[in-house]
Amino acid sequence: MSEQEIKPSIQLNTRGLRCPEPVMMLHQAIRKSKSGDVVEIFATDNSTSWDIPKFCMHLGHELLLQEEVLDDSGNKEFHYLVQKG
C-alpha cells in the first residue's frame, strides 16, 4: 500500500511539542479510534523517532511510515503513519 492510498482518519500536529506530549497525544487518538484506523503525526521532537516506534511495538500497532523531512524553512520534521492494531 503506497502512502497515497492511505487515508488517515486522524491527523496530529505535534510540531513544537516536547516528549512526552506527542506520544501522549498519539495514545489518546489511538484510544478514540477503531481497529484499522490510521493516525498521521507531524512532529519536530527528535525523541519521537524512537518513542513512536516503541509505542507501536509494545502496544501492537503498525508503524506504516516513519520519515524525516525538511519543512519550508529547512528545519527537520518527522512524519509518521500509525495503524491501530
Side-chain angles (χ1 to χ4, degrees), residues 13-80:
N13 178 359
T14 69
R15 294 174 182 102
L17 299 178
R18 308 288 297 164
C19 181
E21 289 178 279
V23 173
M24 289 173 61
M25 289 175 67
L26 173 58
H27 190 70
Q28 185 176 39
I30 288 284
R31 248 190 302 192
K32 291 179 180 178
S33 61
K34 60 184 184 295
S35 184
D37 282 354
V38 175
V39 179
E40 182 172 38
I41 306 105
F42 296 96
T44 51
D45 186 359
N46 284 329
S47 68
T48 61
S49 65
W50 56 85
D51 286 345
I52 289 178
K54 283 186 179 181
F55 170 87
C56 293
M57 184 179 68
H58 289 296
L59 295 177
H61 308 301
E62 187 175 354
L63 183 59
L64 301 174
L65 174 74
Q66 176 179 4
E67 66 180 354
E68 290 183 24
V69 294
L70 296 179
D71 68 12
D72 295 335
S73 303
N75 299 311
K76 186 168 46 171
E77 185 172 286
F78 302 92
H79 181 217
Y80 305 94

